Amino acid sequence: MAKASSKPDPRAAKSDAAEKAEFAEVIAEAGDHVEPPPPEVVEPDPELSPEEAEEARKDYLLARFWISARGYWGRNGDRLAWLFSSGLLLLIVGHVGFQYGINVWNRAIFDAIEKRDSATVYYLAAVFFPLAIGSVLLGVAQVFTRMGIQRRWRAWLTNAVISRWLASGRYYQLNLVGGDHQNPEYRIAEDLRIATDSPVDFVAGVTSAFLSAATFIVVLWTIGGALTVTLAGSTITIPGFLVIAAVLYAAIASGSIMTIGRSFVQVSEDKNQAEAEYRYALTRVRENGESIALLGGEEEERDGIDKTFTKALRQWARLAGQHMRTTLVSQGSHLIAPVVPLLLCAPKFLDGSMSLGQVMQAASAFTIVQTAFGWLVDNYPRLADWNACARRIASLMMSLDGLERAEQGDGIGRIKRGETEGDAMLSLNDLSVTLDDGTAVVGETEVVIEPGERLLVAGESGTGKSTLVRALAGLWPWGGGSVNFHPDRRLFMLPQKPYIPSGTLRRAIAYPGAADDWLTEQICDALHKVGLDHLKEKIEEEGPWDQTLSGGEKQRLAFARLLLHNPDIVVLDEATSALDEKSQDKMMEIVIKELPKATIVSVAHRVELEAFHSRKIVLERRKGGAKLVSDVNLIPRMGRRRLLGRFLRHRKAAKKAA
């Protein structure tokens, strides 16, 4: 980033700080080492069948997710993680205690009603309100604590993943390598949210279910006692019959849901992928709207959108079928559960061995136990959805692992980056550029660029010029040799398609600097120099500038950025391709005039650009990668007309000599 030329607005800084305060609070304790080193590569057992290997891969994906996710409670995790977790456990215990108190109250009130004891009924009515209020308050506190863990865990893990995703240009490199990491933005925004929300709900639910089951099984065993049944003249005594009935009932319901919903995980995963593909298709249309409109490709785009949408609907239909089958079991279970204990306790109530209060307490306890045991029945769909989302975010993590291991020298060679010796601004030492599988793109290249030199890189399409530029920028890591820069010198890239961020035009011009790093007068002066005077009055306006500016205006705006940032080394990658020759010459003249000491490296096809460079190297496609075939100094020229005149004079002289 260029050094700021003016002081930032303190009000804007304060506002920005306020907006980020909560997020910063969550991630501040993580430090710079949020993510542990990438795990070692786990090779599948060669003896496994393809189906078994795929299942093993899915199991490992869940393990990979937890390797990173559990760091929230680790040394570099959130400072409040254990406080919130312990608080949630205590609140669950307290809530179960109030449940037991209400269960006992339930027995007492019905016994008092059966005996027509009005004093006890009034007393118990007064007691109920503190119990109810306490239970509700604990429930509310549970929700606050549980969602606090979810929010902070998501923030911590999102910060960890995004930090790795944005580091060293990996967000760009993912487009160049194979792997199961499509639509990373959807995985980070949606899959990661579900992957951190659901485990907290599951742990809280399982803990509550276990404590409830343990507490109220004792109640059922104590109240129900043994049931004696006479069958065919034989007397059978069933100890703890209500407990046995609750366990059997829950086992049947859970077994049914497991059998019916065994495909839930795969269906949920397929649905999430289909939704991501549909969203990506829509995004592509928005991002490339101008090209599609100019080519009249609406029908073809509609066909593609319809296909992805149909696929998404088909997956939703499969998921709906799974939900219908599980709802059949779940709803049936909820309807039958309250009736079963009443029927089981009816004989003992009718023979006088159980009071009405005991029957109602047993019915309430039975429902609580059955609900606890049937927790899986109610949450299996969410468990399946979490499983799918955790695997998808883990797939992205594994792809980032691979890039990070490559940076550390694992497998395919990496291009080293260092500092030049002496006064050289930039040097390529035995540089070779390869694909991520080792295929050569550019062979060994040796180039030294001195301060103030203006180097033109030429060659036919497909010779690796743009790949070489990416290697200079550090975006293309695969290859060998080194790229060295003069220490304490700033590099600025101008790509063929300038990036226009959302927001005001001021922000677009200042990017990647802050919008307030330059005075309005400085920005207007830069716009004037590049021929964008008509935009001066709009620099504070917000709008879809990426869509409204033409290709030529975007490239002019990129040159305005260059003038504001005033770097030491400039790399132009077809940066004038959308400009006519006259505008191209003007832009290059401005750069040379305004940045006389800058070292310039240009990649271009147009021969006219030679007039603005002092040196030219040519790449030529060869077997084993493109090679540097010529490196010549260019004679300074005054323009195309003088070049043309010289050419005609030489041609005329040659004819006379003939």
Side-chain angles (χ1 to χ4, degrees):
M1 182 186 298
K3 185 177 180 181
S5 303
S6 59
K7 294 182 179 180
D9 184 352
R11 292 174 298 176
K14 184 177 180 180
S15 175
D16 185 59
E19 290 177 0
K20 298 181 180 178
E22 182 177 355
F23 185 69
E25 175 190 340
V26 174
I27 66 175
E29 295 300 313
D32 296 328
H33 303 287
V34 180
E35 186 76 6
E40 295 296 326
V41 181
V42 178
E43 298 293 340
D45 189 338
E47 297 182 0
L48 294 177
S49 66
E51 294 77 13
E52 292 172 333
E54 178 63 15
E55 194 61 34
R57 185 190 73 87
K58 290 182 177 180
D59 291 341
Y60 177 74
L61 285 175
L62 293 181
R64 176 62 189 89
F65 170 76
W66 285 115
I67 288 173
S68 293
R70 69 191 181 195
Y72 173 71
W73 288 272
R75 180 182 302 177
N76 294 315
D78 181 17
R79 69 182 186 276
L80 298 180
W82 283 106
L83 178 64
F84 269 73
S85 302
S86 302
L88 181 59
L89 178 60
L90 292 175
L91 289 170
I92 290 172
V93 172
H95 193 259
V96 171
F98 270 84
Q99 271 189 312
Y100 176 73
I102 292 174
N103 181 260
V104 172
W105 177 90
N106 208 38
R107 171 180 175 175
I109 191 70
F110 278 100
D111 281 341
I113 291 173
E114 185 181 27
K115 297 175 182 177
R116 292 179 172 79
D117 186 350
S118 58
T120 304
V121 169
Y122 293 143
Y123 168 75
L124 290 173
V127 169
F128 174 77
F129 290 103
L131 285 173
I133 292 172
S135 180
V136 169
L137 290 178
L138 283 175
V140 171
Q142 244 183 276
V143 171
F144 171 80
T145 308
R146 173 172 52 79
M147 296 190 73
I149 295 174
Q150 292 169 328
R151 176 177 58 85
R152 299 179 73 89
W153 190 16
R154 180 190 179 189
W156 183 89
L157 189 56
T158 297
N159 177 63
V161 174
I162 289 181
S163 295
R164 297 185 67 211
W165 182 52
L166 294 179
S168 305
R170 294 174 195 154
Y171 59 92
Y172 172 76
Q173 295 166 12
L174 285 176
N175 299 321
L176 309 175
V177 300
D180 183 18
H181 52 253
Q182 296 83 6
N183 314 115
E185 65 284 350
Y186 181 83
R187 295 171 190 255
I188 294 173
E190 186 65 15
D191 291 322
L192 194 148
R193 177 188 65 80
I194 296 174
T196 50
D197 277 5
S198 297
V200 179
D201 290 337
F202 294 154
V203 171
V206 168
T207 303
S208 180
F210 173 78
L211 292 176
S212 298
T215 301
F216 290 98
I217 279 176
V218 174
V219 173
L220 287 178
W221 191 280
T222 303
I223 295 175
L227 178 66
T228 302
V229 181
T230 302
L231 290 175
S234 300
T235 301
I236 302 174
T237 301
I238 305 174
F241 74 100
L242 289 177
V243 175
I244 294 174
V247 173
L248 287 175
Y249 186 89
I252 293 171
S254 299
S256 300
I257 201 70
M258 290 292 289
T259 302
I260 291 172
R262 61 183 178 275
S263 302
F264 225 124
V265 174
Q266 187 60 49
V267 172
S268 294
E269 193 167 352
D270 293 343
K271 182 268 295 181
N272 289 345
Q273 181 61 34
E275 287 288 351
E277 291 174 1
Y278 174 55
R279 190 176 285 106
Y280 178 71
L282 295 174
T283 302
R284 288 281 297 169
V285 173
R286 177 178 59 81
E287 291 178 345
N288 299 278
E290 182 180 4
S291 298
I292 294 170
L294 292 174
L295 293 171
E298 290 84 0
E299 289 188 13
E300 181 64 24
E301 293 300 326
R302 179 58 186 266
D303 183 61
I305 290 173
D306 287 346
K307 287 180 179 178
T308 55
F309 184 53
T310 300
K311 183 179 179 181
L313 290 180
R314 190 181 303 119
Q315 297 303 329
W316 268 105
R318 292 179 61 202
L319 187 63
Q322 291 289 336
H323 274 290
M324 288 167 61
R325 288 188 284 273
T326 54
T327 301
L328 178 66
V329 177
S330 179
Q331 291 294 326
S333 173
H334 282 299
L335 288 173
I336 298 173
V339 178
V340 171
L342 293 177
L343 296 177
L344 292 175
C345 293
K348 300 192 75 171
F349 175 73
L350 294 175
D351 66 15
S353 58
M354 286 185 73
S355 66
L356 178 61
Q358 288 176 317
V359 171
M360 300 309 296
Q361 185 184 14
S364 174
F366 184 93
T367 302
I368 294 174
V369 170
Q370 190 279 325
T371 301
F373 280 134
W375 184 86
L376 181 62
V377 176
D378 297 326
N379 290 274
Y380 189 80
R382 286 196 63 201
L383 180 62
D385 198 29
W386 170 81
N387 204 313
C389 292
R391 287 174 179 171
R392 281 174 53 79
I393 192 66
S395 295
L396 175 60
M397 290 176 177
M398 287 184 65
S399 294
L400 294 173
D401 292 342
L403 293 175
E404 190 170 341
R405 277 192 293 269
E407 292 168 11
Q408 298 170 359
D410 181 15
I412 304 300
R414 299 284 293 196
I415 298 172
K416 297 178 181 178
R417 300 179 68 81
E419 297 180 355
T420 57
E421 297 180 358
D423 295 330
M425 293 294 287
L426 171 63
S427 68
L428 311 180
N429 298 338
D430 196 25
L431 177 67
S432 61
V433 183
T434 67
L435 301 179
D436 64 313
D437 61 1
T439 304
V441 177
V442 179
E444 294 82 1
T445 303
E446 289 280 348
V447 177
V448 177
I449 305 173
E450 300 297 333
E453 256 192 313
R454 299 192 294 275
L455 175 69
L456 177 64
V457 182
E460 297 179 356
S461 297
T463 52
K465 301 186 301 299
S466 293
T467 306
L468 183 61
V469 169
R470 297 184 187 112
L472 292 178
L475 297 178
W476 193 283
W478 304 286
S482 63
V483 176
N484 305 306
F485 291 92
H486 193 292
D488 302 323
R489 294 295 186 269
R490 294 166 300 147
L491 173 70
F492 199 90
M493 304 283 298
L494 264 69
Q496 183 176 3
K497 296 181 179 179
Y499 172 65
I500 308 297
S502 59
T504 64
L505 187 61
R506 171 192 283 271
R507 179 172 183 248
I509 299 169
Y511 192 86
D516 296 317
D517 280 356
W518 288 274
L519 297 172
T520 301
E521 293 77 9
Q522 293 173 303
I523 294 177
C524 289
D525 183 55
L527 289 175
H528 169 71
K529 289 176 180 177
V530 299
L532 294 177
D533 291 280
H534 60 285
L535 296 179
K536 287 183 180 180
E537 303 300 323
K538 302 178 180 180
I539 63 173
E540 302 299 341
E541 293 183 15
E542 291 196 18
W545 296 110
D546 188 50
Q547 304 296 324
T548 56
L549 295 178
S550 67
E553 287 176 322
K554 291 178 184 178
Q555 289 194 337
R556 288 174 181 269
L557 187 143
F559 277 96
R561 286 180 187 164
L562 177 63
L563 299 180
L564 289 177
H565 284 270
N566 190 24
D568 303 293
I569 305 173
V570 182
V571 178
L572 309 176
D573 183 12
E574 300 284 0
T576 59
S577 60
L579 300 174
D580 58 80
E581 292 183 9
K582 183 178 180 180
S583 298
Q584 172 184 265
D585 291 352
K586 183 179 179 181
M587 290 301 105
M588 295 304 299
E589 289 169 359
I590 289 172
V591 171
I592 294 172
K593 177 183 177 182
E594 298 293 328
L595 307 175
K597 296 182 179 180
T599 301
I600 300 175
V601 179
S602 297
V603 172
H605 289 91
R606 292 179 177 176
V607 69
E608 296 85 4
L609 285 171
E610 290 185 11
F612 303 99
H613 294 81
S614 59
R615 183 178 169 195
K616 175 182 177 181
I617 64 174
V618 179
L619 291 174
E620 186 175 295
R621 189 185 295 108
R622 297 285 181 85
K623 186 177 181 180
K627 302 292 183 182
L628 176 61
V629 295
S630 69
D631 185 348
V632 298
N633 290 322
L634 299 173
I635 299 174
R637 303 169 187 182
M638 299 303 292
R640 292 189 308 282
R641 291 184 178 179
R642 185 168 296 183
L643 282 171
L644 181 59
R646 184 183 303 172
F647 171 74
L648 293 175
R649 287 195 298 273
H650 279 294
R651 186 175 180 182
K652 186 175 181 180
K655 285 183 178 181
K656 286 182 178 180

